[in-house]
Amino acid sequence: MPIVDKAGEVAPPRRQRIPLGLLVPAGLGLLFLTFPLVGLLVRAPWTTLPQRLTEPGVLTALLLSLQCATLATVVCVLFGVPLAWLLARVEFPGRRLVRALVTVPLVLPPVVGGVALLLVFGRRGLLGEWLDTTFGITFPFTTTGVVIAEAFVAMPFLIIAVEGALRGADSRFEEAAATLGAGRWTTFTHVTLPLVAPGVAAGAVLCWARALGEFGATITFAGNYPGTTQTMPLAVYLALETDLDAAIVLSLILLTVSVAILAGLRDRWITSP
Amino acid sequence: MTAEVDAHIVVDRGTFRLDVSLRIEPGQVVALLGPNGAGKTTALRALAGLQPLTAGHITVDGVDLDRPDLRRYVPPERRPIGVVFQDYLLFPHLSALDNVAFGPRRHGVDRRAARDQAADWLARVGLAEHARRKPRQLSGGQAQRVALARALAVHPALLLLDEPLAALDARTRLDTRAELQRHLAEHRGAALLVTHDPLDALVLADRLVIVEDGRVVQEGDAAAITAQPRTDYVARLVGLNLYRGRADGHTVVVGDGFALAAADRLDGDAFVVFRPSAVALHPHRPDGSPRNTWAATVTGVQRHGDNLRIQLSGPITAAADVTPAAAAHLRLSPGQQVWAAVKATETRAYPA
């Protein structure tokens, strides 16, 4: 808003000087985050790039990565949004403990997460054995396994974002809905969810980004089979052992695709209305 | 005949206890008037079902909505109520039309019929052409009318209004108050208006219930309350000087033995009131005539309409209204000594 001085003239907005104590560390932080990317660009085998891009394995891994990350995000939204609602809106004993448990995958090394998933869903696992003998379903070392591993690691990102949005949303709108005859479910679907939609979208994007980059849990739980479980990060890891240039190309592709998608979504959803 | 609304609202919240009894007949508008923190909004929330009772009961049309002793509690979504919230709480993601249609939809009306009804309600509050606007595109007065239409669209047996005009500027408030009065007159159910503005209460309500510190201190129609206030808060609202004392015939002894002569004859505990404009100020002790006179000190001078309102301390604290000319003549300023006089015929006494 323009500032009007006593003479009624509109004064130009005052230029705020940015304190050096903030500017310098901010600049260093930006450099630190972007320099490795510069490294990738500098070392990329630009001359052989066209041939390498058209290698059949590359496209397969990329498509598998995008599909699995998207499916994992859908799973996280379906289960994570209700869980976030429970944490934000319902008082129940042990809520703090549940909230701590939800964030465990954040601090757990993904490899440990993968091992834990194997112990539960593996052929001899707590649930896996029963699933295998009763329904003939096995998850480890399948594409479904990739989705499970990614969802396990990425879900906390969604829950934290959505719970924050729910806490920030004015719960009195829900009271207003109740006085108009809306039960809790209708209030959730017709009032709460539209109000926190930007938060859900932001959480889903974070969740998708985390799932796309997932490595440790995936390789432990789902293995590294080209075509079924070899996602981009796994392909990069495999290529590193034999052919550095291939690894760089794969990394560049993953980088380009994810930055393009994130930038596209950010403008549409993440910026607050 | 049963009252449409019969409630004894008791809510304990830490050290604060709300204990208020209310009866509202069909078609009647009752104003719950009181200072901030008196418990008015808590009472409204209890009626709406957003705040469970600690004890007492809420009965609307003979149905118990909340009755802790019988473990009966009807949640807000199943109560025959409509609420206009202080800041309206229109759903920001829905158009004005869909905000109003929200209630009918939840009450089982199909989408098309609900929208027709909503359009009808918007037309009634004069906003037919704003139906497609989002709440953030509406002015304060328009949002208030949409909120009213939304609350009325569910045909509530009890309409609850929480400070419905408080968020509006002075000019919009005048128009909106007149409009609200018209809609309240058409509303066949009971209505409860929570406000701290005496003007809203006097204009809109048939009966006033005054709440202070969680209790009803006075109730009655506007005429009774403005004529015979029973607490300092009510006296200030209606602009009267009020004293409590012991009457013996035409004399009422108030405060530290100060005797006021009153027109009415009375014995026992009594209130005495007189208007600030009935107080005359003199530079010296006035002589003759059987009236109340006392030496006073000016503690404050404020504008009050065309006159000045002078705050006086002395044996009794009082407010006096004088013309600017008289004030200039007396050179009134804080700290100055004056003599105050009130004719006995200007004072009224009534039992406490």
Side-chain angles (χ1 to χ4, degrees):
Chain A
M1 193 186 281
I3 300 153
V4 180
D5 65 17
K6 275 182 188 159
E9 287 167 3
V10 178
R14 198 194 298 171
R15 269 276 168 80
Q16 293 276 343
R17 276 184 59 191
I18 303 168
L20 278 182
L22 292 175
L23 189 62
V24 171
L28 288 175
L30 185 64
L31 274 181
F32 177 62
L33 286 178
T34 50
F35 229 72
L37 306 184
V38 173
L40 272 180
L41 289 173
V42 169
R43 286 292 311 273
W46 295 105
T47 46
T48 57
L49 202 59
Q51 298 100 290
R52 287 181 183 277
L53 282 181
T54 48
E55 275 173 32
V58 174
L59 195 64
T60 315
L62 181 62
L63 281 179
L64 187 70
S65 274
L66 293 176
Q67 283 166 355
C68 288
T70 307
L71 274 174
T73 305
V74 170
V75 169
C76 289
V77 168
L78 284 180
F79 296 99
V81 171
L83 186 49
W85 181 84
L86 212 65
L87 288 172
R89 285 288 189 272
V90 184
E91 294 272 352
F92 59 89
R95 184 163 68 160
R96 294 175 65 141
L97 181 69
V98 172
R99 190 175 288 136
L101 287 175
V102 160
T103 50
V104 161
L106 280 183
V107 290
L108 206 64
V111 176
V112 178
V115 172
L117 284 172
L118 271 180
L119 295 178
V120 175
F121 293 110
R123 248 173 230 276
R124 297 276 169 79
L126 291 172
L127 278 174
E129 191 164 7
W130 174 74
L131 283 171
D132 192 18
T133 52
T134 318
F135 303 102
I137 301 173
T138 50
F139 290 133
F141 311 110
T142 63
T143 307
T144 315
V146 178
V147 175
I148 290 175
E150 290 183 351
F152 177 77
V153 173
M155 186 125 81
F157 288 85
L158 180 103
I159 292 173
I160 288 173
V162 176
E163 198 200 338
L166 282 168
R167 290 182 173 279
D170 194 340
S171 64
R172 293 178 315 143
F173 285 112
E174 293 164 14
E175 293 184 346
T179 67
L180 291 165
R184 269 193 139 171
W185 172 251
T186 322
T187 301
F188 174 75
T189 55
H190 285 65
V191 176
T192 315
L193 212 48
L195 284 177
V196 299
V200 174
V205 168
L206 268 179
C207 176
W208 183 83
R210 179 67 188 88
L212 192 68
E214 217 303 303
F215 174 77
T218 311
I219 201 164
T220 316
F221 183 58
N224 192 1
Y225 303 115
T228 52
T229 72
Q230 192 185 74
T231 56
M232 287 297 273
L234 273 57
V236 171
Y237 178 73
L238 198 71
L240 268 178
E241 304 200 324
T242 53
D243 181 357
L244 181 63
D245 281 354
I248 294 173
V249 169
L250 288 170
S251 306
L252 273 179
I253 294 170
L254 188 58
L255 189 70
T256 314
V257 169
S258 48
V259 165
I261 291 178
L262 287 177
L265 291 178
R266 195 184 170 86
D267 286 345
R268 288 185 54 182
W269 284 347
I270 303 184
T271 47
S272 52
Chain B
M1 194 188 103
T2 58
E4 181 110 53
V5 177
D6 177 34
H8 178 210
I9 301 167
V10 180
V11 178
D12 274 324
R13 287 173 73 177
T15 55
F16 178 77
R17 184 181 174 89
L18 176 73
D19 186 342
V20 171
S21 287
L22 278 176
R23 283 175 82 81
I24 314 175
E25 311 289 332
Q28 197 180 38
V29 182
V30 169
L32 206 55
L33 185 65
N36 288 334
K40 308 179 300 270
T41 296
T42 305
L44 179 136
R45 290 176 59 82
L47 287 165
L50 300 170
Q51 165 75 55
L53 292 184
T54 308
H57 67 272
I58 294 170
T59 309
V60 174
D61 269 338
V63 178
D64 284 332
L65 296 183
D66 196 346
R67 190 144 199 167
D69 57 341
L70 299 180
R71 298 189 163 278
R72 204 163 289 165
Y73 172 77
V74 176
E77 63 266 26
R78 295 213 304 273
R79 294 189 180 195
I81 48 154
V83 186
V84 177
F85 292 90
Q86 182 169 2
D87 37 7
Y88 319 135
L89 297 177
L90 296 177
F91 304 127
H93 59 290
L94 297 180
S95 66
L97 186 77
D98 286 333
N99 262 285
V100 180
F102 189 92
R105 283 287 286 142
R106 305 288 88 76
H107 286 76
V109 178
D110 72 54
R111 186 183 300 255
R112 213 193 156 110
R115 289 195 151 190
D116 287 349
Q117 288 178 18
D120 207 43
W121 276 106
L122 284 177
R124 272 204 236 183
V125 297
L127 289 173
E129 72 279 19
H130 293 81
R132 312 184 91 183
R133 294 219 183 152
K134 290 283 173 67
R136 65 170 177 278
Q137 297 168 309
L138 297 171
S139 71
Q142 290 167 344
Q144 199 274 350
R145 279 141 73 193
V146 174
L148 180 67
R150 184 175 75 169
L152 287 171
V154 295
H155 302 288
L158 171 61
L159 177 68
L160 301 164
L161 304 119
D162 189 5
E163 304 271 6
L165 304 169
L168 302 174
D169 61 72
R171 198 188 144 62
T172 318
R173 182 185 284 215
L174 208 64
D175 299 338
T176 312
R177 188 188 287 130
E179 173 116 359
L180 184 57
Q181 186 180 21
R182 191 165 62 77
H183 291 293
L184 286 176
E186 286 171 7
H187 175 58
R188 296 213 204 99
L192 180 81
L193 167 74
V194 161
T195 181
H196 69 274
D197 184 339
L199 193 56
D200 289 348
L202 293 174
V203 171
L204 298 172
D206 304 307
R207 200 156 57 82
L208 277 61
V209 174
I210 293 161
V211 185
E212 279 179 60
D213 204 20
R215 316 197 153 267
V216 175
V217 293
Q218 193 168 359
E219 58 181 302
D221 62 16
I225 283 177
T226 49
Q228 304 197 339
R230 301 184 74 84
T231 71
D232 286 338
Y233 168 75
V234 184
R236 256 200 321 279
L237 282 185
V238 301
L240 287 174
N241 290 304
L242 171 76
Y243 309 95
R244 191 184 175 127
R246 262 193 94 72
D248 182 13
H250 284 291
T251 328
V252 184
V253 177
V254 299
D256 299 331
F258 184 76
L260 275 168
D264 308 276
R265 211 192 136 75
L266 205 64
D267 286 302
D269 286 333
F271 286 113
V272 189
V273 290
F274 52 85
R275 285 173 295 115
S277 59
V279 182
L281 298 183
H282 304 274
H284 308 291
R285 181 172 200 143
D287 9 76
S289 74
R291 54 187 186 174
N292 303 302
T293 57
W294 68 95
T297 308
V298 175
T299 57
V301 180
Q302 297 146 13
R303 276 192 76 86
H304 186 76
D306 288 340
N307 292 326
L308 294 174
R309 175 156 289 182
I310 315 297
Q311 301 294 337
L312 302 168
S313 70
I316 53 173
T317 58
D321 285 355
V322 299
T323 61
H329 176 69
L330 290 167
R331 298 172 189 279
L332 290 177
S333 60
Q336 190 180 348
Q337 301 291 319
V338 289
W339 282 85
V342 179
K343 285 181 189 159
T345 52
E346 297 275 7
T347 67
R348 286 195 315 275
Y350 46 90

